[in-house]
Amino acid sequence: MKKVVVIGSGIAGMTCAARLAESGVRVTVVSPFPSERSQSVMAAGGINGVLTECEAGDSVECHINDTLKGGSYIAGKNAVTNMCEGAEDIIRHLEKIGTVFSVDKDGKLMKRAFGGQSFRRTYYCGSATGKQIVSALVMELRRYEAEGIVERKLWSCFYSALIKDGRCYGVILFDETKNGLVVETADAVVMAVGGQNAMFGKTTGSTQCDGYAAGKLFMQGVELKNLEFIQYHPTTIETPQKRMLISEAVRGEGGRLFYVENGRRVYFMEDKYGSRGNLMTRDVISREIDSAGKEVFLDISFLGENEIERRLPEVRELCLKYINLDIAKEAIPVAPSVHFFMGGFAVHMNHETNIKNLFAVGECASMYHGANRLGGNSLLSAQYSAIVAANEIAGRDFDGEAFDFSKELAEGQAHLKKLKSNTGSQFPSTYIREMLADTMRNDLGISRDESALKNGIESIDYYLSVADSINYDSSVAMHELYSLGAILTLARATLTCALERRESRGAHFRTDFPAADESFAFSTIISYDGGKYRVHLDEEQSYES
């Protein structure tokens, strides 16, 4: 029986594991925490799809065009087409396994408007769509766990891949219960590790998503793509722990952005972009808020308490809990925050990386969103990419060739031992992580320029020079220590991609190159070779044809 290791247990990881199990493939799902603590539960607004009962005038072709346009036309058209065509089957399957979608009085699925889309095609579960999908998938996967086809490895983290001659044979894991490394061989490995939120400090995402896996695999020869395209969600609120997302569902239900000037409200998005101004794409709204230079508010109170409780109860509860504000009575103070990463592993149409038998799915795989993601397409792409990878693996013949990876395991163990010996060092890991977050926020913000990007690279190079001398503190998880070098390497690669793209496109805005340049109308590919960062534009569309 084939064996596959899936790293990550959010929506993409669980979908892939369930589809593999359904095909008779044995799966080990690896994650430090249960799925209920994955970032996927934070997905609020909904999942996009053109169903049979779509709005008059809408079509799958329109969904495809909106997606390509939103991504500034650098996403692969074939990949986007296949994803949009598969949306109805995905949503119907989610219904079948127990996802509780919001329905109208006639029992039909309800849909709302989302930014950058020509029609209402975002299906939702109140404002807790991710949580509902996670719950349904957990139950689906437990059935396969009971049958012994799926095994969950909790309290375990990815350490490195077992790669030989351009082919992946499994992974080395850090087992927190044993405080050491273990080898897990497999016919194929699927990365479903999300984005790199923690690299920016406080964001809307989970600190579990720190970018380590992408950075480590990058150093092991895996190519990355479009790292410079980082989506800021325009409407978030500040809390002591993180930025909390005020779902795009609020604007989808009619919420209006404004600031106060000379004692009156200025609805700046509507003034500049017309009646649909509050539903422009996230990159546009984030830049407009950032450039306003004033405190910005989002108002939905005109809906009234009853309608808010029916349509947006989770948003109301969130604001009451974290900022003691009732959205049925007051406008919400909002500001942009890092939210989603369009860049990640460069994958082919079957979601395989440039390393044979190593796949990537979900947010960590760069394929469908181009330069900017449409809200509601993340849950769709998480499901679709996982299904594509699972189908490819299930239909592939593996020769079963085995190697002895004891050398790689010994090298990893020696690395951990060296880190533990760094007592009394002047470089605490928490300090470097805080400095990294400050650097990324300041030098790779909503607007960038050459000077800031070069300054960021210089700072990261310094942090890298001391990364192997960080102070060992037994109160800090071992994963926090060994992951730092790879995270810094990924940060350096991200800044390098942003520096090399000398234009403005989608979520990448250069004040020194404010216009789009068609000579850059391609994806960015970056590779790592002995400490050298090599960037090129994928003009042959080798990852998207």
Side-chain angles (χ1 to χ4, degrees):
M1 182 183 281
K2 296 174 187 174
K3 179 186 175 183
V4 175
V5 171
V6 176
I7 307 293
S9 66
I11 286 174
M14 285 195 290
T15 300
C16 189
R19 182 58 65 99
L20 286 165
E22 183 183 352
S23 303
V25 178
R26 189 158 52 94
V27 185
T28 299
V29 179
V30 177
S31 64
F33 301 110
S35 295
E36 291 84 350
R37 288 184 61 183
S38 68
Q39 181 168 301
S40 293
V41 301
M42 303 177 190
I47 179 171
N48 290 341
V50 177
L51 307 192
T52 305
E53 62 272 23
C54 64
E55 279 195 322
D58 199 6
S59 65
V60 172
E61 187 64 30
C62 187
H63 185 192
I64 294 166
N65 290 336
D66 284 348
T67 299
L68 293 172
K69 179 182 178 182
S72 298
Y73 299 103
I74 64 168
K77 184 174 183 180
N78 291 337
V80 169
T81 297
N82 293 341
M83 177 185 74
C84 295
E85 289 178 344
E88 180 158 21
D89 285 345
I90 287 170
I91 292 172
R92 297 304 184 194
H93 178 72
L94 289 173
E95 279 190 288
K96 180 182 175 182
I97 65 173
T99 304
V100 183
F101 284 100
S102 296
V103 296
D104 62 19
K105 63 182 187 303
D106 298 319
K108 293 182 179 180
L109 296 186
M110 296 176 69
K111 50 190 176 289
R112 58 170 50 122
F114 252 44
Q117 302 191 69
S118 305
F119 296 89
R120 292 185 305 140
R121 63 169 74 98
T122 305
Y123 294 86
Y124 59 93
C125 313
S127 50
T129 311
K131 189 179 296 185
Q132 281 288 340
I133 295 175
V134 166
S135 297
L137 285 170
V138 165
M139 296 308 296
E140 179 80 352
L141 215 55
R142 280 179 180 163
R143 178 162 61 88
Y144 293 113
E145 290 178 64
E147 295 173 8
I149 302 175
V150 171
E151 174 195 9
R152 278 188 183 266
K153 250 187 199 313
L154 291 174
W155 323 122
S156 295
C157 305
F158 174 81
Y159 178 79
S160 66
L162 299 172
I163 297 173
K164 186 177 178 65
D165 300 327
R167 181 172 176 174
C168 183
Y169 293 89
V171 292
I172 297 178
L173 303 175
F174 179 76
D175 187 331
E176 293 182 2
T177 64
K178 300 175 182 176
N179 200 33
L181 302 178
V182 296
V183 167
E184 191 81 28
T185 57
D187 294 302
V189 172
V190 181
M191 306 303 296
V193 293
Q196 43 265 21
N197 301 79
M199 201 162 75
F200 288 79
K202 289 170 62 173
T203 72
T204 64
S206 170
T207 55
Q208 294 178 48
C209 299
D210 60 8
Y212 167 73
K216 181 66 175 181
L217 286 170
F218 177 62
M219 296 170 72
Q220 290 188 275
V222 180
E223 293 182 335
L224 303 178
K225 186 173 90 172
N226 288 342
L227 297 181
E228 65 270 34
F229 297 115
I230 299 165
Q231 183 173 87
Y232 280 72
H233 196 289
T235 55
T236 73
I237 58 172
E238 175 80 23
T239 75
Q241 294 78 27
K242 59 176 294 186
R243 302 291 310 189
M244 300 295 290
L245 178 70
I246 301 300
S247 171
E248 192 164 325
V250 177
R251 286 177 288 119
E253 297 291 354
R256 305 176 72 189
L257 291 161
F258 71 91
Y259 57 76
V260 176
E261 190 171 71
N262 299 324
R264 67 178 189 90
R265 290 184 174 190
V266 177
Y267 294 99
F268 60 98
M269 290 304 300
E270 296 165 47
D271 290 347
K272 187 169 184 177
Y273 297 99
S275 60
R276 290 184 60 84
N278 296 298
L279 287 172
M280 296 295 289
T281 54
R282 292 173 176 179
D283 60 314
V284 172
I285 298 177
S286 291
R287 282 197 295 273
E288 293 293 347
I289 292 175
D290 187 54
S291 63
K294 300 177 178 65
E295 186 173 23
V296 169
F297 299 86
L298 175 61
D299 185 27
I300 194 67
S301 61
F302 53 82
L303 270 188
E305 185 172 357
N306 290 340
E307 281 300 294
I308 286 173
E309 275 300 309
R310 187 171 73 87
R311 302 187 202 183
L312 302 163
E314 294 86 1
V315 178
R316 188 184 189 196
E317 180 184 358
L318 183 151
C319 289
L320 282 168
K321 179 177 179 179
Y322 288 100
I323 58 174
N324 194 30
L325 182 146
D326 187 351
I327 67 173
K329 300 175 181 177
E330 302 173 73
I332 312 163
V334 294
S337 173
V338 168
H339 178 60
F340 190 90
F341 298 84
M342 278 70 73
F345 295 108
V347 293
H348 299 287
M349 288 278 287
N350 63 1
H351 278 270
E352 190 171 28
T353 68
N354 62 303
I355 302 298
K356 188 174 177 61
N357 299 334
L358 177 65
F359 295 77
V361 298
E363 185 176 355
C364 71
S366 182
M367 174 60 77
Y368 304 99
H369 308 302
N372 189 41
R373 173 180 68 87
L374 295 187
N377 270 357
S378 58
L379 289 177
L380 176 60
S381 62
Q383 303 263 309
Y384 180 75
S385 62
I387 292 167
V388 169
N391 289 346
E392 173 68 24
I393 294 167
R396 179 175 291 189
D397 292 326
F398 297 91
D399 59 20
E401 188 176 7
F403 291 95
D404 180 6
F405 288 101
S406 56
K407 177 185 176 184
E408 286 79 1
L409 180 62
E411 288 174 348
Q413 290 169 333
H415 180 220
L416 299 191
K417 184 177 180 180
K418 180 181 182 299
L419 288 175
K420 286 185 177 181
S421 70
N422 289 338
T423 56
S425 167
Q426 61 177 311
F427 301 111
S429 64
T430 51
Y431 172 75
I432 295 179
R433 285 177 180 272
E434 289 170 2
M435 294 299 292
L436 167 63
D438 287 343
T439 296
M440 298 304 281
R441 287 195 303 268
N442 294 333
D443 297 331
L444 195 69
I446 293 173
S447 300
R448 307 98 183 250
D449 61 31
E450 181 177 348
S451 175
L453 293 169
K454 285 184 174 179
N455 182 70
I457 289 172
E458 183 178 342
S459 298
I460 301 298
D461 282 342
Y462 171 71
Y463 305 147
L464 278 166
S465 73
V466 300
D468 283 337
S469 302
I470 57 176
N471 186 51
Y472 175 68
D473 180 348
S474 59
S475 67
V476 177
M478 195 67 218
H479 173 75
E480 294 286 310
L481 296 178
Y482 74 69
S483 63
L484 186 57
I487 293 171
L488 290 169
T489 301
L490 179 64
R492 173 64 154 84
T494 304
L495 287 158
T496 300
C497 289
L499 181 63
E500 291 298 315
R501 183 172 287 277
R502 295 179 296 279
E503 64 152 0
S504 292
R505 183 179 299 271
H508 173 71
F509 185 75
R510 290 276 299 261
T511 56
D512 47 351
F513 296 98
D517 181 342
E518 287 310 294
S519 67
F520 285 92
F522 305 95
S523 292
T524 305
I525 306 295
I526 187 166
S527 58
Y528 184 84
D529 181 13
K532 301 292 184 182
Y533 299 77
R534 307 190 187 281
V535 181
H536 72 274
L537 293 175
D538 190 19
E539 297 183 34
E540 302 298 324
Q541 294 186 312
S542 58
Y543 282 103
E544 298 171 350
S545 59

